[in-house]
């Protein structure tokens, strides 16, 4: 949607992050994202599961996959695991 400049339909599939798997982002959420989001990355189901497990083991917190998506991207080997 961000490259298109407007909300567009997207394919969805079963995922641990079902709260993020919407068929089309709403206009208000899109407006916020367009203003504040610099980069969008994808994480794998495996990365989501590992992030959820890390939160359970280390923080004693149970989260839905969408809540662990940011951590999944930041963990070693994730899309945002970089020096910059």
């Amino acid at each position: 949607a961000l490259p298109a400049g407007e909300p567009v339909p997207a394919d969805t599939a079963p995922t641990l992050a079902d709260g993020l798997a919407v068929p089309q982002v709403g206009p208000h959420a899109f407006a916020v994202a367009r203003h504040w989001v610099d980069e969008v990355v994808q994480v794998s189901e495996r990365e989501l599961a590992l992030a959820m497990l890390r939160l359970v083991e280390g923080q004693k917190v149970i989260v839905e996959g969408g809540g662990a998506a940011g951590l999944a991207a930041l963990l070693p080997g994730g899309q945002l695991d970089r020096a910059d």
Side-chain angles (χ1 to χ4, degrees):
L2 289 175
E6 63 184 356
V8 296
D11 294 331
T12 61
T15 176
L16 291 170
D18 60 349
L20 300 178
V22 296
Q24 183 168 325
V25 66
H28 299 294
F30 178 78
V32 170
R34 185 167 48 182
H35 182 74
W36 293 105
V37 173
D38 294 323
E39 181 179 1
V40 176
V41 298
Q42 287 186 311
V43 295
S44 69
E45 290 293 302
R46 181 180 182 281
E47 291 168 324
L48 281 173
L50 289 172
M52 292 169 71
L53 182 60
R54 178 164 288 186
L55 287 168
V56 167
E57 290 179 339
Q59 304 302 315
K60 309 299 186 233
V61 175
I62 297 174
V63 298
E64 191 266 336
L71 178 60
L74 290 168
L75 288 175
Q79 293 287 320
L80 298 177
D81 176 29
R82 53 187 184 221
D84 67 343

